[in-house]
């Protein structure tokens, strides 16, 4: 939190600006406020702070004002020490502190703090032709407070597309947020933005982050942490808008809406929009711009379908299907690293010792793996020739020169978007723009065919628009 600048006051003395900066655009429980009750009462009576009930009772239903939960079984009851009655509380967002019937949410009702910051973008890179078009579209959405979807293939370089628009927004004194469902993405983006916008405060928010109380013109946050915000941002970018759990959890979509000002720019980024969004784009209902080519201007590797028989049954008999053995051996001989995706942890763990017969250093990784970080690092350091993985590595990771295989591509786990993302791991680096992606299967699914068509259409569009070199 910022301290006051008056040298006559001790640095801990609270002045209105402190409260203004702390509360502006947020919606918090009393226990989250570092101010005394006396000060709070003073600002309440001046109308600078407003309260709303944490849980609204409508007829016989309840609604949590922080996470929008209305599902009755997600409310609990407890004998409340605070009001002496039996109170209801929201179980859905309990990890962020208990919102109950008698606990109000505090927010700022005074003037919005001005962002008088000097902003200059420190970036010398050059945008690809595809990026340039998207960058202009972002700028326009910022200037007109409108909505746009940037549908950019994996490896298009979508972060750079935001720079000019965000610079403009900050120069206009706007408050900007980049939100993403995944903590990994927050941790990756924060240092990149700190580097290109060195003169401003940037808050990185995720569970347990130190920046929790930092008021910043640019906030990079998990969608989850936005539950503590309300009418805060003039521009919100949602990166990986289709990623888990955002698409499945309506309260996170509500969090993003609630965190935005009434009039705001909304920018969505993804390589794999949902089926609904894809249709809306096709029929002209959703403003969007596509970046169909990667920044290095080489086409996306197209998946090859290879039938491998009943792989599940074979693995259960401790046999790796012959075609998969061949594929792995070729990579080991050529010393080319590879990722091999499995639909389920149990199968992968069963397969690991079998794969180790082909090379001792083969490893496996999954979401709950305590050594997940170390293994990804070892892969990067080329200490692991082949890494078996669940869909945990479908996004976000970049290894420069790899081939990728999917085992059991027909499994339900592998949706169109998962398969497109997985294919997108190959050929990302400009030094190694190609590579092989193979779907080993025991029967083709719609998802596999849709993924193939998706990639193929992007390549065709890139070709047609002259975006490939
Ligand atoms: Zn709630
Ligand atoms: Zn109570």
């Amino acid at each position: 939190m910022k301290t006051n600048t008056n040298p006559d006051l001790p640095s801990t003395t609270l002045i209105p600006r402190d409260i203004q900066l702390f509360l502006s655009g947020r919606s918090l429980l009393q226990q989250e406020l570092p101010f005394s009750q006396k000060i709070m009462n003073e600002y309440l009576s001046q109308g600078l702070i407003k309260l709303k009930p944490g849980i609204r009772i409508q007829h016989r239903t309840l609604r949590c004002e922080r996470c929008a939960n209305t599902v009755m079984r997600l409310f609990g009851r407890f004998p409340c020490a605070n009001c002496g009655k039996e109170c209801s509380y929201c179980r859905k967002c309990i990890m962020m502190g208990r919102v109950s019937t008698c606990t109000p949410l505090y927010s700022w009702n005074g003037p919005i703090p001005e962002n008088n910051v000097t902003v200059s973008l420190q970036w010398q890179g050059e945008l690809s032709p595809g990026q340039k078009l998207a960058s202009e579209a972002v700028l326009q959405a910022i200037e007109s407070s409108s909505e746009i979807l940037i549908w950019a293939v994996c490896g298009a370089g979508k972060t750079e597309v935001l720079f000019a628009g965000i610079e403009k927004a900050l120069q206009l004194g706007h408050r900007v947020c980049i939100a993403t469902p995944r903590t990994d993405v927050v941790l990756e983006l924060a240092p990149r933005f700190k580097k290109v916008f060195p003169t401003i405060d940037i808050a990185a928010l995720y569970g347990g982050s130190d920046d929790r109380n930092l008021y910043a013109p640019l906030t990079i946050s998990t969608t989850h942490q936005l539950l503590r915000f309300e009418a805060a941002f003039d521009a919100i970018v949602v990166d990986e808008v289709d990623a888990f759990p955002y698409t499945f959890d309506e309260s996170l979509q509500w969090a993003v809406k609630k965190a935005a000002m009434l009039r705001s720019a909304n920018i969505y980024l993804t390589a794999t929009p949902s089926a609904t969004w894809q249709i809306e784009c096709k029929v002209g209902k959703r403003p969007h711009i596509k970046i169909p080519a990667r920044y290095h201007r080489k086409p996306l590797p197209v998946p090859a379908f290879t039938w491998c028989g009943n792989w599940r049954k074979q693995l259960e008999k401790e046999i790796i299907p012959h075609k998969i053995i061949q594929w792995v051996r070729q990579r080991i001989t050529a010393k080319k690293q590879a990722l091999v995706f499995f639909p389920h942890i149990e199968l992968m763990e069963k397969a690991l010792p079998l794969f180790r017969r082909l090379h001792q250093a083969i490893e496996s990784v999954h979401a709950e793996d305590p050594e997940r970080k170390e293994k990804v690092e070892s892969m990067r350091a080329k200490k692991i020739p082949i890494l078996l993985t669940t869909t945990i590595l479908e996004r976000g990771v970049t290894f420069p020169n790899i081939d990728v295989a999917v085992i059991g591509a027909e499994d339900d786990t592998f949706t169109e978007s998962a398969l497109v993302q997985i294919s997108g791991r190959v050929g990302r680096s400009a030094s190694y723009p190609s590579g092989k992606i193979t779907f080993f299967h025991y029967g083709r699914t719609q998802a596999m065919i849709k993924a193939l068509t998706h990639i193929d259409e992007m390549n065709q569009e890139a070709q047609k628009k002259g975006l490939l070199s």
Side-chain angles (χ1 to χ4, degrees), residues 64 67 69 90 92-93:
C64 172
C67 75
N69 170 34
C90 178
K92 183 150 191 203
C93 61

Side-chain angles (χ1 to χ4, degrees), residues 324-384:
I324 299 174
I325 293 187
Q326 257 184 337
W327 191 94
V328 171
R329 281 219 170 105
Q330 280 166 7
R331 267 78 209 163
I332 290 170
T333 315
K335 292 200 161 50
K336 180 147 189 192
Q337 281 184 295
L339 288 177
V340 176
F341 284 85
F342 282 79
H344 307 286
I345 300 178
E346 302 74 41
L347 272 165
M348 179 174 79
E349 292 304 313
K350 199 152 194 161
L352 180 64
L354 311 177
F355 276 79
R356 281 203 171 140
R357 289 180 201 155
L358 303 171
H359 196 300
Q360 279 184 352
I362 292 179
E363 281 290 352
S364 72
V365 69
H366 57 87
E368 263 80 69
D369 191 334
E371 290 169 62
R372 181 177 145 194
K373 251 190 170 161
E374 289 78 4
K375 285 175 180 171
V376 170
E377 282 314 308
S378 301
M379 181 73 184
R380 224 164 248 144
K382 302 200 161 124
K383 288 179 195 152
I384 298 176

Side-chain angles (χ1 to χ4, degrees), residues 54-55 63-69 74-75 89-94 97 99 227 251:
I55 291 174
R63 176 190 159 91
C64 172
E65 286 295 312
R66 184 168 61 189
C67 75
N69 170 34
L74 294 180
F75 287 98
Y89 69 98
C90 178
R91 296 206 323 235
K92 183 150 191 203
C93 61
I94 184 84
V99 178
L227 287 170
S251 71

Side-chain angles (χ1 to χ4, degrees), residues 27 32 88 156 228 258 310 340 353 400 413 441:
S27 175
E32 294 175 298
S88 294
R228 291 202 176 94
K258 180 166 74 100
N310 193 341
V340 176
T413 312
H441 68 92

Side-chain angles (χ1 to χ4, degrees), residues 43-63:
Y43 289 107
L44 274 167
S45 67
Q46 289 174 29
L48 290 169
I49 289 173
K50 65 178 173 190
L51 301 182
K52 69 172 173 183
I55 291 174
R56 220 175 267 281
I57 306 167
Q58 297 163 319
H59 308 294
R60 272 188 207 152
T61 61
L62 301 175
R63 176 190 159 91

Side-chain angles (χ1 to χ4, degrees), residues 162-182:
L162 300 173
F163 291 165
I166 290 180
E167 183 189 32
K168 182 73 193 182
L170 296 170
Q171 283 169 349
L172 290 169
H174 289 178
R175 199 174 174 193
V176 181
C177 175
I178 302 172
T180 167
R182 307 191 313 128

Side-chain angles (χ1 to χ4, degrees), residues 10 19 42 113 137 164 209 217 271 285 295 409-410 453:
I19 296 184
E42 200 181 314
S209 133
K285 265 194 188 164
Y295 77 97
E410 79 279 12
T453 317

